[in-house]
Amino acid sequence: MLKKLAPWYIAVSIVFVLIVSLLNAWNDSAIFDETAHIPAGYSYLTQHDIRLNPEHPPLLKTLAAFPLLFLHLKFDTTQPFWTTDVNGQWDAGHSFLYENGNDWNAILFWSRVPIILISIALGLFLFWWGKQWLGLAGGLIAFTLAMFDPNILGHDHYVTTDVGIAAFLTFSMYFFLRFLKKPTWKNILIGGIFLGLAHLTKFSSVLLLPIFFVALVVYPLFSKRSSKDSSFQWRSLFSYLGKGLVAFAISILLVWVTYAGLYFSTSQEVVQKTIDFYFVPTDPRPTVQATNSTLTFLNGNPITRPLGEYILGVAMVFKRVAGGNGAYFMGQVSNTAFPAYFPTVFMLKETLPLLLLTLFALVFSLGRSIRRYSSLHAPILHTSAKQFSKFVRKNPTSWALLGFIVLYAYISITGNLNIGFRHLFPILPFLYLLIARQMTDLLKNTKGAIHFTASIIFSLLLLFNITTTVYAYPYYMSYFNPVAGGSMNGYHYVTDSNADWGQDLKRLNTWINDYNACAHIKCDPNMGVGCPSKCYSIEKSFPTPLQPIDKIHVDYFGGGNILKIIGEDRAILWWDSRRPIEPGWYAISVNFLQGSIYDTTKKDEESYRWLRDQTPVAQVGTSILIYHIQ
């Protein structure tokens, strides 16, 4: 029965994801990072130049920009962002999207489509992997958790690296494990290619390397044959290490070829200018001097320059992480990371069913391990070594996935960059697979009433997860579970790309137009004739008769253009320290609002603390609050 229904379920799920993602791709405004990524990708394909956005590898940006080649767009290389500025990516984005006569709606939509397709490919790949590893039920569980995670759906239509790195890390891990189990030259080649693609997606892919290295050492040492033949054990170890080195070399070669092919028009002077800007040669710190010297040396030779450009991006990321990023979290604003940040946002932003399944997987796995040890009568050290050896031989996939999750979570928690749950996306596919494994293991090892009860509970939790995600449309990016009060209230706990990345500016314009249309209609409180339902709902939100909005003060965080979307004759650009405070309408992004209110370095007269005593009259989408100041 399951085998017959599976293709239909997969097809319907893909259609759902495709429809809601395309709708959000059209309805969401440009988020903050897209104004840098989109023009950068387009410049790579049309100008073959690295100068924009070197702190992210090119793969996803070029894939996103490919549909734009058919739109006959204008990219003005006479502007300062190209001729004189160092990494003028933000000005490039606003010029490309809003100032050159291009259709910015079309640019946003079509550049987002490839990211949607990558997200769907990730879901299908997890089904394929899960089916191979755990059977059909396991594949369907992993597929369901991936396709119906509102956080993935919230970012699968943005031109950023977050969903893409989750996908390519998953692809790379799968093909590495295939090489580990069967180290043929074919698998070495494929594994190296996909490792290279992961490197070209996001620099955090370097976290795969320690996991891969440990696996290359541990797996051959604990292989079944090697336990009886020490000489074979060492030969196997050196063979794995050598072949792993070849795969790594293939990945670096792919990085070199891609950078050389995309950026062949980049001059040595442009790259050097970027190096000296971010790593000032006169800086007395030894690390800065060493970085500048190394990058300058690589930039000085046409053969090493492409690899130097890649390493420049890595160095920029490390510098940014070390410097931190101002973030609002639980009533505080700080440039220093909060250790509780990622565990908290995971608990608040993941669906309740997935949290329950994660808890089940942890408890079930731990309980099974305890039972295994307690059932053995051999001395504990001998038992531990024997059990560990058996576990390594039989479960390379489990310990590789778990190892990466632990390492990545540790780096995230101890790092100094708290800007969104999206930074945990690389561990989510592996979490889905491990949950699927524990669920299928329980079902395989139980019978009768326990098996039936577990099947019902798991089915209900997965159905609950699906309905939760469907019901959350369209506010996936700002999704918060009921513990946080839902998507409308999550900003009280944390902002930035968790709640407000600039996605609602177009919705603000729609709300203003709807409000003004309703302000001229006298609505019957009982929804009489001539009172549209949207007007009735607006009317209920206001204690006083509706007053048309002629002007509105806008403080917006994101990549949209306020004057283009709201209108030059209607929008008044505003910010927290602007004074005097004028009566009238205000639209404030919650990212700016919370960051201003709780920033203790700001004086009261330079902040939004005056809004603490004001109640918003409306909430547009989830990220923009409307105030009417008398």
Side-chain angles (χ1 to χ4, degrees):
M1 183 68 174
L2 186 62
K3 189 174 182 180
K4 291 181 179 180
L5 292 177
W8 291 100
Y9 169 72
I10 292 172
V12 171
S13 299
I14 291 174
V15 169
F16 167 78
V17 170
L18 189 60
I19 290 174
V20 299
S21 299
L22 289 173
L23 287 173
N24 277 337
W26 181 257
N27 292 324
D28 283 5
S29 309
I31 60 164
F32 192 86
D33 286 16
E34 285 183 308
T35 53
H37 289 192
I38 293 174
Y42 190 76
S43 70
Y44 302 162
L45 292 178
T46 60
Q47 310 300 319
H48 305 290
D49 198 295
I50 192 179
R51 69 187 68 192
L52 298 180
N53 196 240
E55 64 266 37
H56 292 94
L59 179 60
L60 294 175
K61 289 177 286 186
T62 52
L63 290 175
F66 180 74
L68 305 184
L69 298 178
F70 304 96
L71 299 183
H72 308 292
L73 303 171
K74 182 180 179 183
F75 187 82
D76 191 354
T77 57
T78 66
Q79 297 296 315
F81 72 76
W82 192 262
T83 58
T84 58
D85 294 346
V86 175
N87 194 15
Q89 54 188 353
W90 308 109
D91 289 339
H94 286 282
S95 172
F96 183 56
L97 286 167
Y98 306 113
E99 297 172 4
N100 289 342
N102 297 324
D103 185 343
W104 57 270
N105 269 314
I107 292 175
L108 287 175
F109 178 79
W110 287 110
S111 63
R112 290 167 168 175
V113 170
I115 309 300
I116 295 173
L117 298 179
I118 290 173
S119 176
I120 293 173
L122 172 61
L124 289 171
F125 192 87
L126 285 173
F127 168 73
W128 181 55
W129 186 354
K131 183 181 177 183
Q132 284 185 338
W133 182 28
L134 307 168
L136 179 59
L140 289 174
I141 291 169
F143 173 82
T144 299
L145 294 177
M147 299 297 277
F148 291 95
D149 188 328
N151 296 287
I152 298 294
L153 286 173
H155 289 264
D156 75 345
H157 56 283
Y158 295 143
V159 183
T160 60
T161 58
D162 304 301
V163 170
I165 189 58
F168 281 96
L169 281 179
T170 302
F171 304 157
S172 182
M173 180 67 81
Y174 171 83
F175 287 106
F176 169 77
L177 290 170
R178 194 169 76 169
F179 150 70
L180 198 66
K181 297 171 185 176
K182 191 175 181 181
T184 63
W185 288 108
K186 175 183 176 181
N187 287 340
I188 291 171
L189 175 62
I190 296 174
I193 289 173
F194 276 93
L195 179 59
L197 292 175
H199 289 330
L200 290 167
T201 301
K202 196 168 186 175
F203 294 122
S204 57
S205 63
V206 297
L207 294 179
L208 282 172
L209 299 181
I211 299 299
F212 287 0
F213 177 76
V214 170
L216 289 173
V217 172
V218 171
Y219 187 76
L221 289 179
F222 289 89
S223 66
K224 191 171 184 179
R225 285 182 296 171
S226 67
S227 61
K228 297 181 179 179
D229 185 348
S230 59
S231 63
F232 173 84
Q233 179 180 359
W234 290 105
R235 289 197 306 271
S236 179
L237 171 62
F238 289 124
S239 175
Y240 267 99
L241 290 176
K243 291 177 179 179
L245 187 61
V246 172
F248 177 72
I250 291 171
S251 73
I252 297 302
L253 178 61
L254 181 59
V255 169
W256 186 92
V257 170
T258 302
Y259 271 74
L262 285 176
Y263 304 145
F264 60 80
S265 293
T266 310
S267 68
Q268 178 182 349
E269 291 73 22
V270 167
V271 177
Q272 191 62 48
K273 190 176 179 181
T274 304
I275 294 170
D276 292 341
F277 180 82
Y278 287 99
F279 303 96
V280 181
T282 57
D283 192 310
R285 289 174 293 179
T287 54
V288 176
Q289 292 182 0
T291 302
N292 183 284
S293 298
T294 301
L295 293 173
T296 299
F297 171 78
L298 294 172
N299 185 45
N301 189 303
I303 302 299
T304 58
R305 188 174 304 147
L307 193 58
E309 292 165 353
Y310 178 82
I311 296 174
L312 168 62
V314 175
M316 291 174 67
V317 169
F318 276 104
K319 179 181 178 181
R320 189 188 177 200
V321 171
N325 192 89
Y328 166 77
F329 174 64
M330 304 286 284
Q332 301 179 68
V333 174
S334 175
N335 285 322
T336 304
F338 302 96
Y341 182 89
F342 283 111
T344 302
V345 295
F346 179 79
M347 296 293 291
L348 295 178
K349 284 191 64 66
E350 267 301 352
T351 64
L352 294 181
L354 188 131
L355 292 176
L356 290 172
L357 289 171
T358 302
L359 179 62
F360 153 76
L362 290 171
V363 172
F364 179 71
S365 177
L366 180 61
R368 187 170 54 176
S369 298
I370 293 174
R371 286 194 303 272
R372 284 178 178 173
Y373 278 102
S374 62
S375 65
L376 298 171
H377 303 289
I380 187 65
L381 292 177
H382 175 73
T383 300
S384 299
K386 183 178 179 181
Q387 288 295 104
F388 180 74
S389 178
K390 183 178 179 181
F391 175 75
V392 170
R393 291 198 308 268
K394 293 189 174 183
N395 301 279
T397 300
S398 293
W399 57 259
L401 300 187
L402 182 60
F404 182 83
I405 289 175
V406 171
L407 174 64
Y408 195 94
Y410 173 78
I411 295 297
S412 299
I413 291 171
T414 58
N416 198 32
L417 201 61
N418 291 168
I419 57 175
F421 178 56
R422 61 191 175 93
H423 281 196
L424 291 184
F425 281 9
I427 70 175
L428 292 183
F430 303 150
L431 179 63
Y432 304 148
L433 286 166
L434 291 176
I435 289 174
R437 185 196 171 172
Q438 299 306 321
M439 292 171 67
T440 54
D441 278 0
L442 177 62
L443 294 176
K444 288 177 182 177
N445 292 296
T446 55
K447 297 179 181 180
I450 295 177
H451 179 89
F452 177 77
T453 302
S455 299
I456 295 298
I457 293 174
F458 288 157
S459 298
L460 289 175
L461 285 173
L462 291 173
L463 181 61
F464 183 20
N465 194 73
I466 293 171
T467 55
T468 295
T469 301
V470 173
Y471 182 74
Y473 174 81
Y475 306 125
Y476 292 132
M477 196 281 289
S478 54
Y479 174 80
F480 284 83
N481 63 42
V483 173
S487 300
M488 294 293 180
N489 295 298
Y491 72 89
H492 291 293
Y493 300 92
V494 63
T495 56
D496 212 287
S497 61
N498 301 294
D500 176 14
W501 221 4
Q503 71 274 14
D504 288 324
L505 188 62
K506 291 168 72 173
R507 293 185 180 92
L508 173 62
N509 184 59
T510 300
W511 182 89
I512 294 172
N513 291 336
D514 288 345
Y515 174 91
N516 281 342
C518 295
H520 295 93
I521 300 175
K522 184 175 179 59
C523 282
D524 189 317
N526 297 316
M527 289 190 68
V529 177
C531 184
S533 59
K534 65 181 178 183
C535 293
Y536 179 72
S537 62
I538 290 175
E539 188 95 14
K540 286 199 307 180
S541 302
F542 288 83
T544 58
L546 302 184
Q547 303 175 26
I549 299 175
D550 297 320
K551 298 283 186 179
I552 186 167
H553 308 77
V554 182
D555 192 6
Y556 161 74
F557 173 84
N561 187 295
I562 298 172
L563 300 181
K564 287 278 187 181
I565 296 175
I566 306 302
E568 295 183 10
D569 58 338
R570 186 159 62 184
I572 301 172
L573 302 183
W574 200 260
W575 53 93
D576 58 352
S577 62
R578 184 172 177 178
R579 297 295 186 273
I581 299 169
E582 303 172 349
W585 295 93
Y586 287 77
I588 313 294
S589 286
V590 295
N591 201 12
F592 283 146
L593 182 72
Q594 300 293 78
S596 178
I597 289 176
Y598 293 97
D599 186 350
T600 56
T601 65
K602 286 181 175 288
K603 299 177 181 178
D604 287 350
E605 60 270 21
E606 296 176 346
S607 76
Y608 278 129
R609 296 188 188 104
W610 59 275
L611 284 174
R612 276 179 161 174
D613 298 327
Q614 300 288 332
T615 301
V617 296
Q619 186 172 1
V620 175
T622 59
S623 66
I624 299 177
L625 300 181
I626 306 296
Y627 295 89
H628 189 218
I629 306 302
Q630 302 289 342

